[in-house]
Amino acid sequence: MSAIKSIINRSRSHRVVQYSSAPDLSLFGGGCGAETTSCWANLPQELLREVLIRIEESESSWPPRKNVVACAGVCRSWRHITKELVKVPELSGKLTFPISVKQPGPRDFLVQCFIKRCRSAQTYRLYLSLNNALTEDGKFLLAARKCRRPTCTDYIISLDTDDMSKGSNAYVGKLRSNFLGTKFTVFDGQPPHAGAKMTKSRSSRLVNLKQVSPRVPTGNYPVASISYELNVLGSRGPRRMHCIMDAIPAAAIEPGGIAPTQTEFSHHSVDFVPSLPFFRSKSNRVESFQSGSLSSQREGALVLKNKAPRWHEQLQCWCLNFHGRVTVASVKNFQLVVSPENGPAGPEHENIILQFGKVGKDLFTMDYRYPISAFQAFALCLSSFDTKIACE
């Protein structure tokens, strides 16, 4: 097995996705013609499948799991078999390929992640926790950059820590707030499901024409809206969140329910016709924010709300049980559960879908599960970083 791994690393050393670096989207979008000429492409299919099965089973966690990604980068036949063997996070609980951040998390447990904030650069980086200690770098997943506008604030979300621009081929989506920071809309760079409606924006920038095929459709797809309740009386207490997950049906949390799952990123090569759009659009219309009322939500959309904390008389503060994952009291801390507005309360309404909390000056934990993805969870948590004078 070690000999096979060394051959893979030597053969495709320039394509291996390293443990701490940004992923290479070209490994999973469609492939280039040169890959079919690889000397490993003619390996007997039965032998190849057996080898890949053993590698996938043995390399179950990061950083060793990068060897599974390396197998997908050897050639087209290796990639197809590897993608067949690697199950989605909902079933395996593992984040392997870059597209995993756009797929729902596991049903039975929370995926443990953490966010590092850089105040000077106004950037945020999401990592997958490799153990209970937060001293290591973890496995990088996503990055976001805060962009202030005259009337709103944008958080550009990317797969690349060094390229968080809207025209980058690593662009995943964005979070946009209103002027007060009380209402937010999460936009996906590609359709979250069949029939998704695109929102066009006057503020969209032209992408680099050298990187994008004219056949690649562009646009922003709203996948969630977040509203924070105004604190008119100025009373002390935690913020109150209300999230409408427009891309996820309420039935997804029921037994046998299904949440939309994206299978690949759009590819930008002119030799490959993409099935999903990836970039933003340019239009004369302006993005409109959804109101926090249920009348504006998509029919049957999943609704999340923050779990109500309890007042601790001895500590004289509001408390939530984060099971040791949060150690610093902060108004930013929250736990999201399914709102009873989705129907009669059942066992599924007690499950924590997302929890976020502070553990250091610029270090926060983020744990999520089905039916939301790492990208959606990250965007929801970014909304908590924004200043909310009207809600404090």
Side-chain angles (χ1 to χ4, degrees):
M1 184 63 65
S2 59
I4 292 290
K5 294 176 185 177
S6 63
I7 291 175
I8 294 172
N9 290 332
R10 289 199 306 269
S11 174
R12 303 295 293 176
S13 60
H14 66 289
R15 295 294 295 276
V16 174
V17 178
Q18 295 299 331
Y19 155 57
S20 60
S21 63
D24 183 358
L25 295 181
S26 62
L27 291 177
F28 320 108
C32 58
E35 294 177 3
T36 59
T37 62
S38 170
C39 59
W40 303 106
N42 296 324
L43 199 66
Q45 294 292 304
E46 295 79 8
L47 175 60
L48 174 58
R49 179 175 291 273
E50 182 63 26
V51 170
L52 295 180
I53 288 176
R54 294 190 180 187
I55 294 178
E56 200 280 329
E57 291 177 349
S58 62
E59 313 293 15
S60 59
S61 60
W62 288 91
R65 193 145 181 89
K66 65 183 179 182
N67 292 320
V68 178
V69 182
C71 291
V74 172
C75 63
R76 186 170 299 174
S77 60
W78 284 53
R79 177 187 304 119
H80 289 167
I81 296 178
T82 303
K83 290 175 67 176
E84 290 177 5
L85 297 176
V86 175
K87 296 181 174 61
V88 295
E90 178 184 347
L91 302 176
S92 66
K94 304 172 185 175
L95 279 70
T96 305
F97 300 134
I99 192 61
S100 298
V101 300
K102 303 288 285 293
Q103 298 173 336
R107 291 176 178 263
D108 300 329
F109 60 92
L110 292 166
V111 176
Q112 295 186 344
C113 307
F114 61 92
I115 299 174
K116 288 185 177 181
R117 174 178 61 181
C118 179
R119 294 173 182 264
S120 58
Q122 293 191 320
T123 58
Y124 306 83
R125 289 177 171 82
L126 174 66
Y127 297 87
L128 176 67
S129 298
L130 303 182
N131 49 51
N132 294 328
L134 297 176
T135 55
E136 297 186 11
D137 290 337
K139 170 68 179 75
F140 170 77
L141 298 178
L142 291 167
R145 177 172 58 89
K146 186 176 182 179
C147 303
R148 293 186 180 275
R149 313 293 184 194
T151 59
C152 64
T153 300
D154 283 351
Y155 291 83
I156 307 301
I157 303 175
S158 171
L159 288 163
D160 192 344
T161 57
D162 299 321
D163 189 358
M164 288 182 277
S165 61
K166 300 176 184 177
S168 167
N169 61 355
Y171 172 75
V172 175
K174 72 176 181 180
L175 173 73
R176 169 163 288 188
S177 76
N178 64 355
F179 178 74
L180 294 177
T182 56
K183 296 183 185 299
F184 297 79
T185 303
V186 181
F187 294 95
D188 197 330
Q190 62 187 36
H193 55 79
K197 295 182 179 180
M198 179 178 64
T199 300
K200 298 181 180 180
S201 171
R202 178 191 307 171
S203 62
S204 296
R205 298 179 180 178
L206 286 174
V207 294
N208 189 337
L209 297 181
K210 294 181 180 180
Q211 296 178 345
V212 185
S213 167
R215 291 173 289 180
V216 177
T218 61
N220 287 315
Y221 296 82
V223 295
S225 60
I226 311 160
S227 62
Y228 287 84
E229 185 176 316
L230 295 176
N231 189 356
V232 180
L233 301 178
S235 58
R236 297 181 60 187
R239 298 168 177 168
R240 296 182 180 179
M241 294 177 62
H242 187 269
C243 307
I244 301 174
M245 309 303 295
D246 297 283
I248 304 175
I253 64 168
E254 300 174 359
I258 299 175
T261 303
Q262 299 183 30
T263 57
E264 66 179 18
F265 285 107
S266 297
H267 198 279
H268 312 302
S269 170
V270 294
D271 297 324
F272 176 75
V273 180
S275 58
L276 295 175
F278 184 77
F279 285 97
R280 309 182 56 193
S281 67
K282 185 176 182 182
S283 173
N284 291 327
R285 281 179 283 182
V286 182
E287 291 165 350
S288 59
F289 291 98
Q290 301 181 24
S291 65
S293 64
L294 287 177
S295 61
S296 65
Q297 76 177 83
R298 182 174 62 84
E299 184 70 22
L302 180 69
V303 180
L304 304 178
K305 69 170 186 176
N306 64 303
K307 187 175 182 179
R310 62 180 180 85
W311 178 257
H312 198 291
E313 289 294 341
Q314 294 181 338
L315 299 178
Q316 289 295 296
C317 66
W318 295 96
C319 294
L320 282 170
N321 186 6
F322 287 93
H323 301 282
R325 290 285 291 165
V326 177
T327 57
V328 180
S330 173
V331 71
K332 296 179 176 63
N333 301 347
F334 67 81
Q335 290 178 326
L336 292 183
V337 295
V338 176
S339 173
E341 297 165 355
N342 291 123
E348 62 274 7
H349 290 77
E350 299 298 324
N351 294 330
I352 295 174
I353 305 299
L354 171 64
Q355 68 177 20
F356 171 78
K358 192 173 185 178
V359 293
K361 182 179 179 180
D362 293 302
L363 189 62
F364 304 80
T365 56
M366 186 201 88
D367 304 336
Y368 76 98
R369 63 182 295 170
Y370 177 91
I372 65 174
S373 65
F375 161 67
Q376 293 167 337
F378 188 38
L380 295 180
C381 292
L382 287 175
S383 71
S384 186
F385 284 106
D386 209 52
T387 304
K388 301 169 183 60
I389 300 177
C391 302
E392 307 285 295

